[in-house]
Amino acid sequence: MAIFIGEHTRLVVQGITGRDGSFHARQMRDYGTRLVAGVTPGKGGQTFDADVPIFNTVVDAVEEAGANTSVIYVPASFAADAILESADSGIELIVCITEGIPVADMMRVMPYIEERGCRLVGPNCPGLIVPGICKVGILPGQIVLPGRVGIVSRSGTLTYEVIFQLTSAGIGQSTSIGIGGDPIIGTDFVDCLRAFEADSETDGVVIIGEIGGTDEQTAARFVSENMTKPVVGFIAGQTAPPGRRMGHAGAIISGSEGTAEEKTRAFRENGIAVAERPADIVDALQAVV
Amino acid sequence: MAIFIGEHTRLVVQGITGRDGSFHARQMRDYGTRLVAGVTPGKGGQTFDADVPIFNTVVDAVEEAGANTSVIYVPASFAADAILESADSGIELIVCITEGIPVADMMRVMPYIEERGCRLVGPNCPGLIVPGICKVGILPGQIVLPGRVGIVSRSGTLTYEVIFQLTSAGIGQSTSIGIGGDPIIGTDFVDCLRAFEADSETDGVVIIGEIGGTDEQTAARFVSENMTKPVVGFIAGQTAPPGRRMGHAGAIISGSEGTAEEKTRAFRENGIAVAERPADIVDALQAVV
Amino acid sequence: MNIHEYQAREIFQAHGLPVPDSEVVDTPEGAADAARSLGGRVVIKAQVHAGGRGKAGGVKLAADPEEARDAAGLILGMEIKGLTVRKVLVAPTADIATEAYVGIVMDRVSQRPVMMVSPEGGVDIEEVAETNPEAIFKETIDPRYGLLNHQATRLAYRLFSDPSLARPAAGVLLGLWRAYRSADATLAEVNPLISTSSGEVLAIDAKMNIDDSALFRHPALEAMRDEDAEAPSERRAREAGLSYIKLEGSVGCCVNGAGLAMATMDLVKYYGGDPANFLDIGGSSNPEKVVCALEIMAGDPNVLSILFNIFGGITRCDDVANGIVEATSRLELRVPLTIRLTGTNEDEAVGILGVAGFEADTDMDRAVQRAVRAAGVQ
Amino acid sequence: MNIHEYQAREIFQAHGLPVPDSEVVDTPEGAADAARSLGGRVVIKAQVHAGGRGKAGGVKLAADPEEARDAAGLILGMEIKGLTVRKVLVAPTADIATEAYVGIVMDRVSQRPVMMVSPEGGVDIEEVAETNPEAIFKETIDPRYGLLNHQATRLAYRLFSDPSLARPAAGVLLGLWRAYRSADATLAEVNPLISTSSGEVLAIDAKMNIDDSALFRHPALEAMRDEDAEAPSERRAREAGLSYIKLEGSVGCCVNGAGLAMATMDLVKYYGGDPANFLDIGGSSNPEKVVCALEIMAGDPNVLSILFNIFGGITRCDDVANGIVEATSRLELRVPLTIRLTGTNEDEAVGILGVAGFEADTDMDRAVQRAVRAAGVQ
């Protein structure tokens, strides 16, 4: 089953003829994802790698190729409209990889998405991977292992590191999902935790947070109130100075809010085992799952 | 029971210190409507006629005076925001009397209203009256008679005329509602027909349409598909020339659409008895109710 | 409010649409000068608030300034659907490869603006809608978001498969939306939007209607009103705050409320008469409006009988009665007057009218019948 | 991006806020001239990207041009939170009757802008939020509608019961929203918004942060960047497309990805070291960036040890390896280098590094421990 993606996923890549789009389209297809279409306005009628039809618009990809999931690799200044286009075309799951979308654009996107009842993952995220079945985004396929632990994270390479350490220790994953490092994102920790809790193929969850905002605190309360499955947590940014943006647009301690200390405390108080080092996640998981 | 208003109505008048607002506030209160508050920014803390508290904002009227219904008499350039304010303050029924609100403003208002799940009647409408119980708007109280016929109309004085003729013939009304003559309105014919169909105090309905748009055709289909109670119809504007706006912003035949002939045919084809003259409504009603 | 093509062209140009430069003139000599300064072949187009001006002979081609002078001479002063042509547009002719329709209308059903495009341009879009509806493509515009880029792109690729045409066409659609929104329009159209054989996309016609209710916040648009396009009586009524439309019948109708006014006109017809006008004095009780209304109707030579039908609600019957007495004391009424009054202050009104020698009825049907008879129809 | 008070004042003024005219100068003599031209008492305010400048002595009153010169002389060149004051604002003093706070922040929970006002202005709003939260009033702004008139009115009457103050205050709130929206701000504040004893409402301070991601569409705002407020190494990193923040520790960390970079710094700390910086080379594989990163870290005199931690995904390990080889051939590295590489093209990278005499580890913990030891901490 896994969460959000799987064998039912019929993917359209928005920006398939771009540098990143074409590279990752091949990676995803080679991993086993059902890549049914690409979109690049003006290249409708052409094909990608001889067998993937390219359309001018997402609605064509939905109507003619049956796409139900989109992944976005278009530049930041066009990405918000690409999300709106997918939402407007009947796509059910939109995964936006693009980094650097203006906050004001995302604030307009969110109510549009919600009105149409579709799911957005990202932006500025690595996407999702169900080991051996399907990947949507840029998570490296070679480090994952099929299994029963769910991973949800605000980071990219830190997630890879954790997956890599789990896989090295023989702990497989049901689904790994990177929700993105921006202050305004679609799917959040709670959405993923709820889905993992409901997923019959997941036995436990790793949640990887970082400084900035209060999503980890909200997630911690959700875990304590709604989850039966064990959860292990890690927070990056204990050494981050306040008021400085640590790479991710969302990773900034403002005022008294959003410190790693506070988030770690919230995790502990709500029954989440906190790993001090990424390497400790393996032990913590082995203790609870 | 009636529809939309009644003994449960707790009214706030937006623009209570204006010329029209103060006049009609008194008329409504004298008719028996529970007038609990008025709103005029800057006059908060004062009272209207010594016993009605005035607030700066609608939210204060809701929280401090328990208002659940608002009626709007503010000038056209402020009226759209007055509707938004009521919707935003938890008001359940908003009746907007103001005429001349720009179409673009109303197009922004509609999704806002819908998101908050409240009901708007109007704009550019005379409001509602439940004979002997409650009136919200400007319908003259002296011409109505308690009874079991519902009246719904796009007009103002034409509605009065019909009510007057019914009352003169001894036919009383459960609720009379003027939905307004603008191209974009909140509550439409179908909303009212559905409510009258469900209302245990209504036995039959008079629907008064006019040229412009296709609301009468939609209403006719609704009557044929969903109504068990008899409906009598009248359409104004058989002699109206195409392409000219007949007073109401919505009363204009554009292209092949919206002629009185077409609407009359739609009424007849869907089982609505059509009165050729206002006076014929009485006979038509007596034949069916 | 309608504005002229040349005015809509200016607005569209200001919003970045590729509208070729043109000139508007009111003399044949001016047309010749314009043709000279534009160079080459030109088209002379009547600027008049009426559809079908092409069929009526209001659009002519001219190969040189002399032909432009002659063509303008024929068009200026021409009557199209009752309106005199006082200005012509002189525009360069275009080398047309394809003609498309693009427009935005206010859709009452969705309560939103709808953008429509069709590759079958240059003809009446209502005709295309009837004969070939699948050649029309639509996008509903969420007024909270405006026309979105991908919507413009979607429509543009319905018009052109070639990206070098579709891209500028998408730009035209976005510009048209900006023009529509910022002018509070209820209609904005380019018909035709052409592609040329050299691969340009051009808007060679322009049409726009403005929401009357929004004119208060657009003084520059209000100033575009062509008062020559209104009958003088309609202009006078508008300035007095009356809603008046002149028709061809003989029974003048003065009513409070638009719905009741239409119903009254219909009843005149029902009883064999013909209404001379629609006239709504509105909800206010200003006697001056009544005076103005009576003067306008009395000034219509077709009018053989005048009917007042007043249902007093907010409108007070005594105010209307005072207005009638005041007006009839100022002007010698050459036609019979029938008065129907009921509602607020009805008794006072009957008294006022009685003193001045007028009778008032309270029954609408009876009054309409009497007014029709007074016009000598029956 | 932070902008200075004087820049925010200009933006607010352009959006109609009642901001008193002021001048920004960079010499004591300039301050005296400004005080002369403004007339009367003035306030001299350090223009520096740091809070608490008042407590730090960066704000002084001056009764006349001479005092203004002296005050500016004291403030210019002063260090506030590590930043040198290079400009001061000279503004007229105001006759303050009340002080309010008004501001708009981007709220991550509601995913919308939130306007906050408090009649307790002139102090840190975070303090008010903790000590007296019921003195803060909020309106969430629907980004599809913007701040609505009635929301501004609601908030204005929370600040002032007198309509002659509440009305202009509502105008200030609407103007602040327009400024916020049109500048793609993430914060816009007036603290304090004052009323004067003569009944005026004035914005006598101004603060604004701009969304870095939106700067591409605001070249005029991008030009407001004060490069003097950045450490030179930070500016260089920004220009090279690196995300770099200088800290005080001795272990330079170069990582791909912000989350992994933070986790690496935390692990340095865990093993007893102190990170010298945050440095994310991002997802690209450009060797030039690696060169620049190494040069920046090597140029930090505090750095005693440099650690690379690269998890190859999109980033190719061989590109990073090439960058390291290239950089070390250009500059004489005076501190030990520890390299951890794993993932895409890991084997090629190990080969490249081996040829150049570098060893690479694949285990993060081991590499961090080694880098910490190399800094001589343990």
Side-chain angles (χ1 to χ4, degrees):
Chain A
M1 189 170 119
I3 72 167
F4 306 149
I5 61 167
E7 281 165 356
H8 65 282
T9 298
R10 296 178 62 85
L11 186 69
V12 53
V13 174
Q14 290 179 260
I16 197 166
T17 56
R19 204 178 61 95
D20 291 347
S22 58
F23 175 79
H24 289 289
R26 287 186 190 110
Q27 296 265 315
M28 290 186 283
R29 188 195 50 195
D30 294 349
Y31 193 74
T33 307
R34 195 133 46 129
L35 175 62
V36 299
V39 167
T40 298
K43 302 209 172 162
Q46 302 180 18
T47 55
F48 173 79
D49 283 358
D51 59 350
V52 179
I54 301 177
F55 299 97
N56 288 325
T57 66
V58 176
V59 73
D60 289 346
V62 170
E63 288 174 3
E64 296 180 34
N68 59 17
T69 301
S70 73
V71 62
I72 295 170
Y73 295 96
V74 307
S77 54
F78 301 103
D81 187 63
I83 299 173
L84 298 177
E85 180 180 3
S86 265
D88 201 26
S89 304
I91 291 287
E92 295 156 25
L93 172 66
I94 305 162
V95 180
C96 184
I97 308 304
T98 307
E99 180 177 358
I101 303 179
V103 169
D105 293 6
M106 282 310 301
M107 288 198 296
R108 273 162 51 89
V109 162
M110 290 313 301
Y112 195 90
I113 291 283
E114 281 156 21
E115 263 189 20
R116 280 156 186 78
C118 52
R119 175 178 297 287
L120 170 67
V121 174
N124 187 18
C125 80
L128 309 91
I129 189 163
V130 176
I133 305 288
C134 182
K135 83 162 186 160
V136 175
I138 60 174
L139 280 149
Q142 65 275 18
I143 57 171
V144 300
L145 178 73
R148 303 187 59 83
V149 169
I151 299 181
V152 56
S153 169
R154 273 167 72 184
S155 308
T157 48
L158 175 57
T159 317
Y160 311 168
E161 180 75 44
V162 172
I163 294 173
F164 176 65
Q165 298 205 10
L166 262 56
T167 294
S168 304
I171 302 174
Q173 307 93 41
S174 57
T175 309
S176 292
I177 174 168
I179 60 173
D182 275 3
I184 298 204
I185 53 173
T187 297
D188 61 13
F189 280 134
V190 168
D191 297 323
C192 297
L193 291 171
R194 186 182 290 119
F196 279 130
E197 174 72 11
D199 178 28
S200 63
E201 295 181 0
T202 299
D203 294 339
V205 182
V206 176
I207 174 170
I208 303 166
E210 61 187 34
I211 54 160
T214 54
D215 279 5
E216 288 79 2
Q217 290 89 319
T218 310
R221 278 193 302 278
F222 178 84
V223 167
S224 120
E225 289 165 15
N226 300 284
M227 285 193 72
T228 59
K229 298 180 182 176
V231 180
V232 171
F234 177 80
I235 302 286
Q238 297 158 46
T239 50
R244 301 300 305 265
R245 171 181 153 173
M246 305 298 277
H248 292 167
I252 180 167
I253 301 166
S254 44
S256 59
E257 206 180 85
T259 62
E261 198 187 340
E262 242 186 48
K263 288 165 191 267
T264 304
R265 185 171 50 233
F267 274 5
R268 290 220 168 88
E269 285 173 358
N270 287 283
I272 299 176
V274 176
E276 287 199 61
R277 303 173 303 159
D280 294 335
I281 294 173
V282 171
D283 300 335
L285 263 180
Q286 280 164 338
V288 293
V289 178
Chain B
M1 190 170 121
I3 71 168
F4 305 150
I5 60 167
E7 281 164 357
H8 64 283
T9 298
R10 296 178 61 86
L11 187 70
V12 53
V13 174
Q14 290 180 262
I16 198 167
T17 55
R19 204 179 59 96
D20 291 347
S22 57
F23 176 78
H24 288 290
R26 288 186 190 109
Q27 294 266 313
M28 291 186 283
R29 187 197 50 197
D30 293 350
Y31 193 75
T33 307
R34 193 130 51 127
L35 175 63
V36 300
V39 166
T40 297
K43 302 209 171 161
Q46 302 180 17
T47 55
F48 173 78
D49 283 358
D51 59 350
V52 179
I54 301 178
F55 299 97
N56 287 326
T57 66
V58 176
V59 74
D60 289 345
V62 169
E63 288 174 3
E64 296 181 32
N68 59 19
T69 300
S70 73
V71 62
I72 295 172
Y73 294 96
V74 307
S77 54
F78 301 103
D81 187 63
I83 299 173
L84 298 177
E85 180 180 4
S86 266
D88 202 26
S89 304
I91 291 287
E92 295 157 24
L93 172 67
I94 306 161
V95 180
C96 184
I97 308 303
T98 307
E99 181 178 356
I101 303 180
V103 169
D105 293 7
M106 282 310 301
M107 289 196 297
R108 273 161 51 88
V109 163
M110 290 313 302
Y112 195 90
I113 290 283
E114 280 155 23
E115 263 189 20
R116 279 157 186 78
C118 52
R119 175 178 297 287
L120 171 67
V121 174
N124 188 17
C125 80
L128 308 90
I129 188 164
V130 176
I133 305 289
C134 181
K135 83 162 187 162
V136 176
I138 61 174
L139 280 149
Q142 65 274 19
I143 58 171
V144 300
L145 179 73
R148 302 187 60 83
V149 170
I151 299 180
V152 56
S153 170
R154 272 167 72 186
S155 308
T157 47
L158 175 57
T159 316
Y160 310 168
E161 180 75 45
V162 171
I163 294 173
F164 176 65
Q165 298 205 10
L166 262 57
T167 294
S168 303
I171 303 174
Q173 305 93 42
S174 57
T175 310
S176 291
I177 173 168
I179 60 173
D182 274 4
I184 299 201
I185 53 173
T187 298
D188 62 12
F189 280 135
V190 168
D191 297 323
C192 297
L193 292 170
R194 186 182 290 116
F196 279 130
E197 174 72 11
D199 176 29
S200 62
E201 294 181 0
T202 298
D203 292 339
V205 182
V206 176
I207 172 170
I208 303 167
E210 61 187 34
I211 56 160
T214 54
D215 279 5
E216 287 79 2
Q217 289 89 318
T218 309
R221 279 194 300 280
F222 178 84
V223 167
S224 120
E225 289 165 14
N226 300 285
M227 284 193 74
T228 58
K229 297 180 183 176
V231 180
V232 171
F234 177 80
I235 302 288
Q238 297 157 46
T239 50
R244 301 301 304 266
R245 173 183 152 171
M246 305 299 277
H248 292 165
I252 179 166
I253 301 166
S254 46
S256 60
E257 206 180 84
T259 63
E261 198 188 339
E262 240 185 49
K263 287 163 191 269
T264 304
R265 186 170 49 235
F267 273 7
R268 289 220 168 88
E269 284 172 359
N270 287 284
I272 299 176
V274 177
E276 285 200 61
R277 303 174 302 158
D280 294 336
I281 294 173
V282 171
D283 300 336
L285 263 180
Q286 279 165 339
V288 294
V289 178
Chain C
M1 186 184 83
N2 294 324
I3 61 172
H4 286 297
E5 177 193 356
Y6 76 91
Q7 296 164 324
R9 287 173 87 108
E10 282 169 22
I11 295 171
F12 288 178
Q13 264 187 335
H15 285 93
L17 268 69
V19 179
D21 283 330
S22 58
E23 292 183 29
V24 61
V25 298
D26 53 9
T27 62
E29 210 42 62
D33 290 347
R36 209 167 286 122
S37 79
L38 289 167
R41 293 172 64 84
V42 294
V43 58
I44 315 286
K45 299 161 94 176
Q47 299 297 289
V48 66
H49 292 317
R53 62 184 173 177
K55 284 180 197 156
V59 178
K60 295 186 190 300
L61 289 169
D64 54 42
E66 285 65 41
E67 283 189 32
R69 179 192 297 113
D70 297 346
L74 288 170
I75 295 172
L76 286 164
M78 177 186 272
E79 283 234 335
I80 301 180
K81 296 193 181 162
L83 296 166
T84 306
V85 179
R86 294 174 194 280
K87 284 179 178 158
V88 292
L89 183 87
V90 185
T93 56
D95 165 25
I96 298 177
T98 65
E99 293 184 280
Y101 168 92
V102 306
I104 309 175
V105 296
M106 184 260 298
D107 178 48
R108 293 166 70 140
V109 175
S110 64
Q111 304 192 317
R112 297 188 169 191
V114 170
M115 179 166 268
M116 297 196 295
V117 307
S118 174
E120 299 196 7
V123 295
D124 185 355
I125 193 68
E126 290 233 351
E127 261 180 55
V128 180
E130 272 173 36
T131 59
N132 194 13
E134 66 277 17
I136 296 182
F137 302 94
K138 297 182 183 185
E139 290 280 340
T140 300
I141 299 171
D142 186 328
R144 299 167 298 177
Y145 288 88
L147 182 73
L148 296 164
N149 280 326
H150 70 269
Q151 294 184 296
T153 301
R154 277 203 295 234
L155 291 175
Y157 280 100
R158 302 295 180 210
L159 295 179
F160 302 107
S161 57
D162 180 347
S164 75
L165 297 173
R167 276 194 207 108
V172 167
L173 299 181
L174 290 165
L176 190 65
W177 163 251
R178 287 191 302 271
Y180 179 95
R181 185 197 49 199
S182 45
D184 263 311
T186 54
L187 174 91
E189 258 182 18
V190 175
N191 189 18
L193 178 74
I194 65 159
S195 68
T196 67
S197 48
S198 60
E200 272 185 302
V201 171
L202 296 176
I204 64 166
D205 191 30
K207 189 174 176 190
M208 213 171 189
N209 294 348
I210 311 295
D211 178 9
D212 293 278
S213 297
L215 285 172
F216 72 87
R217 57 189 178 203
H218 299 288
L221 294 174
E222 171 71 57
M224 286 187 178
R225 186 187 294 279
D226 181 0
E227 298 193 332
D228 290 336
E230 291 175 296
S233 58
E234 291 184 0
R235 178 162 76 237
R236 201 184 147 203
R238 180 172 51 74
E239 286 165 359
L242 301 172
S243 186
Y244 172 78
I245 293 167
K246 189 183 156 2
L247 301 172
E248 300 305 316
S250 61
V251 182
C253 304
C254 176
V255 189
N256 67 323
L260 188 58
M262 285 189 278
T264 305
M265 292 158 65
D266 294 349
L267 206 56
V268 166
K269 181 92 174 175
Y270 179 85
Y271 286 116
D274 266 311
N277 58 268
F278 168 89
L279 201 170
D280 173 13
I281 58 166
S284 106
S285 295
N286 182 349
E288 271 309 304
K289 281 194 181 179
V290 180
V291 172
C292 177
L294 197 50
E295 284 174 359
I296 286 170
M297 287 186 292
D300 178 351
N302 292 342
V303 166
L304 303 176
S305 161
I306 290 176
L307 167 68
F308 274 78
N309 183 15
I310 303 300
F311 200 104
I314 316 176
T315 309
R316 288 164 47 183
C317 291
D318 54 338
D319 282 333
V320 176
N322 279 325
I324 292 171
V325 171
E326 164 80 19
T328 49
S329 74
R330 278 200 231 159
L331 62 113
E332 192 73 41
L333 212 59
R334 53 169 184 82
V335 298
L337 184 62
T338 310
I339 301 166
R340 186 270 179 138
L341 288 164
T342 193
T344 312
N345 295 3
E346 171 187 322
D347 294 341
E348 291 88 329
V350 170
I352 292 163
L353 290 170
V355 168
F358 293 104
E359 208 184 314
D361 203 333
T362 56
D363 183 86
M364 177 168 160
D365 274 75
R366 211 158 48 207
V368 169
Q369 280 176 283
R370 199 188 310 162
V372 169
R373 266 199 309 276
V377 177
Q378 286 177 317
Chain D
M1 185 185 86
N2 293 324
I3 59 173
H4 286 299
E5 176 192 357
Y6 76 92
Q7 297 164 324
R9 287 174 87 109
E10 281 168 24
I11 295 172
F12 288 179
Q13 265 188 335
H15 285 93
L17 268 70
V19 180
D21 283 331
S22 59
E23 292 183 32
V24 60
V25 299
D26 53 9
T27 62
E29 209 43 61
D33 290 345
R36 210 167 283 123
S37 77
L38 289 167
R41 290 172 66 83
V42 294
V43 57
I44 315 287
K45 299 161 95 177
Q47 299 297 290
V48 66
H49 292 316
R53 64 185 170 174
K55 283 180 196 156
V59 178
K60 294 186 190 300
L61 289 170
D64 54 43
E66 286 64 41
E67 282 189 33
R69 179 192 299 114
D70 296 347
L74 289 171
I75 296 172
L76 285 164
M78 176 184 273
E79 283 234 335
I80 300 181
K81 297 194 180 162
L83 296 167
T84 306
V85 179
R86 294 175 194 278
K87 285 178 178 159
V88 292
L89 183 86
V90 185
T93 56
D95 164 25
I96 299 177
T98 66
E99 292 184 280
Y101 168 92
V102 306
I104 309 176
V105 296
M106 186 260 296
D107 177 49
R108 294 165 69 140
V109 174
S110 65
Q111 304 192 319
R112 298 187 169 192
V114 170
M115 179 167 267
M116 296 196 295
V117 307
S118 174
E120 300 195 6
V123 295
D124 185 354
I125 193 67
E126 291 233 352
E127 261 179 57
V128 179
E130 271 173 37
T131 58
N132 193 13
E134 67 277 17
I136 295 181
F137 302 94
K138 297 182 182 185
E139 290 280 339
T140 300
I141 298 172
D142 186 330
R144 300 168 298 176
Y145 288 88
L147 182 73
L148 295 165
N149 280 325
H150 70 269
Q151 294 184 296
T153 301
R154 276 203 296 235
L155 290 176
Y157 280 100
R158 301 295 180 212
L159 296 179
F160 302 106
S161 57
D162 181 347
S164 74
L165 298 172
R167 276 193 208 111
V172 166
L173 299 181
L174 290 165
L176 189 66
W177 163 250
R178 287 192 302 272
Y180 179 95
R181 185 196 49 200
S182 45
D184 264 311
T186 53
L187 174 92
E189 259 181 17
V190 174
N191 189 17
L193 177 75
I194 64 158
S195 67
T196 66
S197 48
S198 59
E200 273 185 301
V201 171
L202 296 176
I204 64 166
D205 191 30
K207 188 174 177 190
M208 211 169 191
N209 294 348
I210 312 294
D211 178 9
D212 294 279
S213 297
L215 284 172
F216 71 88
R217 57 189 177 202
H218 300 288
L221 294 174
E222 172 70 55
M224 286 185 177
R225 185 187 295 279
D226 181 1
E227 299 193 331
D228 290 337
E230 292 175 297
S233 57
E234 291 184 1
R235 177 161 78 235
R236 203 186 145 200
R238 180 172 51 76
E239 286 165 358
L242 300 171
S243 186
Y244 172 78
I245 293 167
K246 190 183 158 1
L247 301 172
E248 301 304 315
S250 61
V251 181
C253 303
C254 176
V255 188
N256 66 323
L260 188 58
M262 286 189 278
T264 304
M265 292 157 67
D266 294 349
L267 207 56
V268 165
K269 180 93 174 175
Y270 179 89
Y271 286 115
D274 266 311
N277 59 268
F278 168 89
L279 200 169
D280 173 13
I281 58 166
S284 106
S285 295
N286 182 348
E288 271 309 305
K289 281 195 180 178
V290 180
V291 172
C292 176
L294 198 48
E295 285 175 358
I296 286 169
M297 287 184 294
D300 177 352
N302 291 342
V303 166
L304 302 176
S305 160
I306 290 176
L307 167 67
F308 272 78
N309 183 13
I310 304 299
F311 200 105
I314 317 175
T315 309
R316 287 166 46 184
C317 291
D318 55 336
D319 281 332
V320 177
N322 279 324
I324 292 171
V325 172
E326 164 80 21
T328 48
S329 74
R330 280 200 230 159
L331 62 114
E332 193 72 41
L333 212 59
R334 52 165 187 83
V335 299
L337 184 61
T338 310
I339 302 167
R340 185 269 179 138
L341 286 165
T342 192
T344 311
N345 295 5
E346 169 186 322
D347 294 341
E348 291 88 327
V350 171
I352 292 163
L353 290 169
V355 168
F358 293 105
E359 206 183 318
D361 204 331
T362 56
D363 183 86
M364 178 168 160
D365 275 75
R366 211 159 48 209
V368 170
Q369 282 175 284
R370 200 188 309 164
V372 169
R373 266 198 308 275
V377 176
Q378 284 178 318

